[in-house]
Each structure stands twice: as structure tokens, then as C-alpha cells.
Amino acid sequence: MNLPNNNTAEQAMLGILAGSPALIDEIEDGLFFHPINCLLFSTLKELIRKQAPHDSLNHTHIRAELESNGQMQEFGDLSMVFEIFGSNLGKASFPYYLQVLSEAAAYRRYIIAAQASIPHAERMSIPLEEIVAEIDAAAVMVEAVTLPQIKNQVMMLLDEMERNTPHEYFSTGLDPLDNILGGGLQRKEMLVVAAPTSRGKSLLLGQATVAAVIKGKKTAFFTLEMPALDVIKRFASNMSGYPIRANCDMTTERTRREMEAQVKQISILSGLPLYIFDNLPDLDSIMRTAKLIKRKHGLDLVVIDYIQRVEAEGSNREQAVSTIARTLKNFALVNDCCVMTASQMNDDGQVRESRAIGHEADILLGISDKGRDTIITVGKNRRGESGKYINVTRRGDLGRFESDG
């Protein structure tokens, strides 16, 4: 049986401890699982015991200690040692990786306790209440380690306030709109685009998706209205600035130029971190797929087009839609990513089927036509002003909106 572990987090923690040795006093036994990482940790502890606790260590120190202990044969390739102890992770990351490793260790203890109780249960050699109490004690340890610590959260906030690197934002694909939103969408947030039928909900979601993947954001796009190939055509038109037409006359220079630009952008699109699904109509399938991508490849952005097309359980449609909105928002929070979706509006200008859509959204954008003008209004913005709007031109042929100002 494979016990819970996280090799990436273990190696990250080793790098942090080498740069900040004083933190080693906060590490409990059993935190590391992989044998090589356990060996490196014991080597690191021995080195820290021999020197001043505030002197940082690097791969040269580790290698010398391994050689003196006759343990170099454990490493066929030293590249791993160089990579681990050459990392530049600072101590601000320590609380996060400590939480990850502590939780994995707690689950291992729980599984081991449960397995150890099986022979006693089979033979009925120990009172059942004692077996249950022992397993419950391990379960309490799991629950305790997953409780957030305000000290760690404050340290992360201070680190964020002090850092000089620009804050990470996810663009809507429209600079004036991003400016109103203070830069765009942030991780753990959900954006909802609301509009009547055929006003451009899918256009804006696609535009934001293209902006994200071009910057390397790993994105899962769930389309419940258009086939995947049509979505790709729209993305390619957005990127090339030319509409994709069927049965084009290739004898003209203009058509050949457009085709070359489109083929180039489609080629670029094929290499971007984008997953498009057009065969998952229900909420459970969407969430399972998103979690799988997150676990195997990492995931920055989830886009669902659109919320009224998603199937979910509920005693009525309002409750089902409420469940969908709440689940999507929770996914963004738990998985440290962004979620973008869309909702139809009714004739009164309200999101259809459930008010929970607007309640759960961090940012709610409305698309409407006023005369010949199309405007995108910020109806809700948890981090800033609402009520502001921008004038745009809807370019369905190019798969995007263009700002008028």
C-alpha cells in the first residue's frame, strides 16, 4: 500500500532548512517519508549540530558530510543534491511546506494505526472500544494538524506585503477592464460574466482564457455549448486577428496572408498549457477532471461556459445552481486557482435561476447593449469599486471584444 507522501514538498523543505538552519527545531520525527530524503535530513541535522545554528548550508557541505560518513553510494547521481540544496526558497515558504508534510505524516500514522488494529479485530483479542479509541486518537492528530495557524497566515501576509515582485493577476483580455479591477482576477477568486443570450459571454471567457494561456497559465476550459473545435477556431481568430472562414478562395494574396497567420497561431496554441473539454455536462465530472489535472499537471485557471448548462443534483433547479456556484467558488479557494464562468440574465437584469451565483462571485461583470453601444459593467468587486464600466465593440468574427477607449 502506498502511504501518503509528497516528495516535492520534502525536497523543498530540505532546501529551506539548509538556508535557515534555526528552523530545524520545529521539525518533528517522521515528517520525511522517502528514504533518500530521510538520509539527507539526518545529514543536515548532524551538520547543524556541529556548527553555529544560523550559518546557512549548501550542497558542498552536504556532499562533504555524506562522503565522511561513507554514504555517497546512496546517490548514483549528485544532480538531485545540487538541485535540492541549490534552491532559493526562503523561510517565508516554511509554514506552507510544514503544513503539507505534517498533514501527510498524520495521515500515515492514521493508516498505520488502522492497519495494526485489523489482526486484533479479526481475532477479537482486544475490546472493540479500545481499537476504536486508538484509531480515533490517530484521527484527532490528523484533524489537529490541518487546523490553520494564525501565526503562519500572518507570516505569509507579511511576506506578501514586503516582497518587491509584482502581484500576480489574471487578465480579462481587456486592459481598461483590468484597470478597474485593480489588475485583474487573483487566485482563489471566482469571476462571473452575466448577460442575456448572444451578448458575448463566451467571447469574454474565451478572451480571458487566451490571455491566461499565452502567459503560461495552466488552464482547463469546459465548454457546454460549443464543440471543442469551434472553441479552438475562436481562440485562433482572437490570436491572429483574422476570422477563420470555410471554403476560402486561396488564390488571393489577402486570403493566403490570413491563412498563414491563422496556421501560425494554431501551432502556437497547440503548445500552450490548455485543456479543452466538450463532453462533460455535469458538475461531478467537471470537478473530478479539474482535480485530476491539478494533481498531475498543476492548474491555475478553470473556465466553465456556462453555469446554466451544468447538470447538478438538487430538489429544484435553484438549489442545483446554488450548489454549482458554491462548489466552483470552493474549488478556487481550496486549490489556489481562479475560476471563471458565465450566467444568463433574465429580462429584469438579474442572473437566472439562483441569486447564489452573484453571492458567490468575487467579481460579477455584466454585458449589455445600450443603443448601438455595448458596455461591460463591473456589478460586483470584492476588492474595489463597482458600478464602473467600459465601452467595447463586440467582434464575434475575431473571438473577442475590443475596447473603444
Side-chain angles (χ1 to χ4, degrees):
M1 175 181 288
N2 293 325
L3 292 173
N5 67 88
N6 190 320
N7 187 48
T8 301
E10 289 183 15
Q11 293 183 355
M13 179 61 81
L14 288 170
I16 293 169
L17 294 175
S20 304
L23 295 173
I24 203 160
D25 292 335
E26 299 186 38
I27 302 297
E28 298 179 356
D29 291 337
L31 204 65
F32 292 88
F33 175 79
H34 291 270
I36 291 296
N37 295 335
C38 292
L39 173 59
L40 291 174
F41 177 63
S42 62
T43 303
L44 198 58
K45 281 204 302 185
E46 184 64 20
L47 275 171
I48 293 172
R49 186 184 64 81
K50 292 178 180 179
Q51 66 169 33
H54 298 291
D55 292 342
S56 61
L57 302 166
N58 57 38
H59 60 81
T60 304
H61 300 108
I62 304 299
R63 179 176 179 178
E65 185 69 14
L66 290 170
E67 288 177 342
S68 67
N69 294 337
Q71 295 172 317
M72 283 299 297
Q73 67 274 13
E74 301 284 346
F75 298 88
D77 183 1
L78 285 174
S79 61
M80 186 181 75
V81 178
F82 292 134
E83 183 178 348
I84 293 174
F85 296 103
S87 65
N88 57 358
L89 285 173
K91 63 181 180 180
S93 302
F94 177 79
Y96 169 75
Y97 287 109
L98 180 62
Q99 178 77 11
V100 172
L101 296 182
S102 297
E103 185 169 350
Y107 276 103
R108 288 197 296 271
R109 290 192 292 268
Y110 176 77
I111 292 172
I112 292 170
Q115 287 178 326
S117 70
I118 292 175
H120 298 296
E122 290 176 339
R123 296 192 302 269
M124 295 187 292
S125 58
I126 294 179
L128 184 59
E129 57 269 21
E130 292 185 19
I131 295 176
V132 173
E134 188 170 344
I135 295 176
D136 283 347
V140 169
M141 295 175 69
V142 173
E143 293 174 359
V145 78
T146 58
L147 291 174
Q149 299 295 315
I150 186 64
K151 176 183 177 182
N152 295 342
Q153 293 168 332
V154 169
M155 287 178 63
M156 293 174 66
L157 174 61
L158 291 174
D159 179 61
E160 180 179 312
M161 293 170 63
E162 292 174 356
R163 68 184 176 186
N164 295 320
T165 55
H167 201 89
E168 181 183 25
Y169 292 101
F170 291 71
S171 174
T172 61
L174 289 164
D175 289 343
L177 185 56
D178 290 343
N179 291 338
I180 295 175
L181 299 177
L185 194 66
Q186 294 184 6
R187 291 185 183 273
K188 300 183 182 293
E189 291 184 335
M190 182 170 76
L191 177 146
V192 176
V193 181
T197 302
S198 301
R199 293 297 192 276
K201 299 184 297 293
S202 298
L203 278 185
L204 189 54
L205 289 180
Q207 191 162 353
T209 299
V210 169
V213 296
I214 285 176
K215 291 187 177 181
K217 304 300 183 185
K218 298 173 183 176
T219 302
F221 190 97
F222 298 91
T223 169
L224 286 81
E225 188 174 37
M226 297 172 59
L229 287 181
D230 287 349
V231 173
I232 294 171
K233 289 177 185 178
R234 178 172 282 182
F235 289 176
S237 294
N238 180 299
M239 295 167 67
S240 68
Y242 296 111
I244 290 183
R245 303 184 180 92
N247 303 319
C248 295
D249 180 6
M250 295 301 295
T251 61
T252 67
E253 176 64 26
R254 177 180 177 181
T255 303
R256 287 196 298 271
R257 185 171 64 251
E258 290 183 8
M259 180 64 74
E260 288 174 1
Q262 290 164 355
V263 170
K264 178 181 178 181
Q265 295 305 320
I266 290 173
S267 177
I268 292 173
L269 191 60
S270 68
L272 296 177
L274 174 63
Y275 308 88
I276 302 176
F277 302 90
D278 62 2
N279 59 347
L280 301 174
D282 62 281
L283 180 63
D284 289 343
S285 297
I286 291 171
M287 290 294 94
R288 280 199 305 270
T289 303
K291 290 174 183 177
L292 178 64
I293 297 171
K294 173 71 175 180
R295 185 169 66 251
K296 288 192 171 184
H297 308 288
L299 189 57
D300 301 307
L301 174 64
V302 176
V303 183
I304 299 98
D305 185 20
Y306 56 95
I307 205 165
Q308 275 79 19
R309 299 278 300 182
V310 178
E311 299 172 3
E313 293 184 359
S315 59
N316 54 54
R317 187 55 187 166
E318 182 178 359
Q319 285 192 1
V321 171
S322 177
T323 297
I324 295 166
R326 184 173 60 253
T327 300
L328 294 180
K329 172 57 182 176
N330 288 342
F331 185 88
L333 284 170
V334 172
N335 293 280
D336 192 34
C337 66
C338 295
V339 170
M340 296 185 185
T341 188
S343 172
Q344 290 184 338
M345 274 185 170
N346 58 28
D347 295 336
D348 298 326
Q350 302 295 321
V351 290
R352 282 183 54 185
E353 297 186 327
S354 177
R355 294 181 180 179
I357 298 172
H359 292 165
E360 298 291 348
D362 297 283
I363 296 172
L364 180 63
L365 304 178
I367 305 174
S368 58
D369 291 336
K370 291 191 175 180
R372 295 184 177 181
D373 297 329
T374 299
I375 63 172
I376 299 178
T377 305
V378 180
K380 178 182 179 181
N381 182 6
R382 290 192 197 275
R383 290 184 286 104
E385 294 182 273
S386 59
K388 290 190 173 182
Y389 65 90
I390 63 170
N391 291 299
V392 293
T393 299
R394 186 168 47 244
R395 294 294 306 270
D397 58 331
L398 300 184
R400 67 192 186 198
F401 287 96
E402 294 177 349
S403 173
D404 292 344

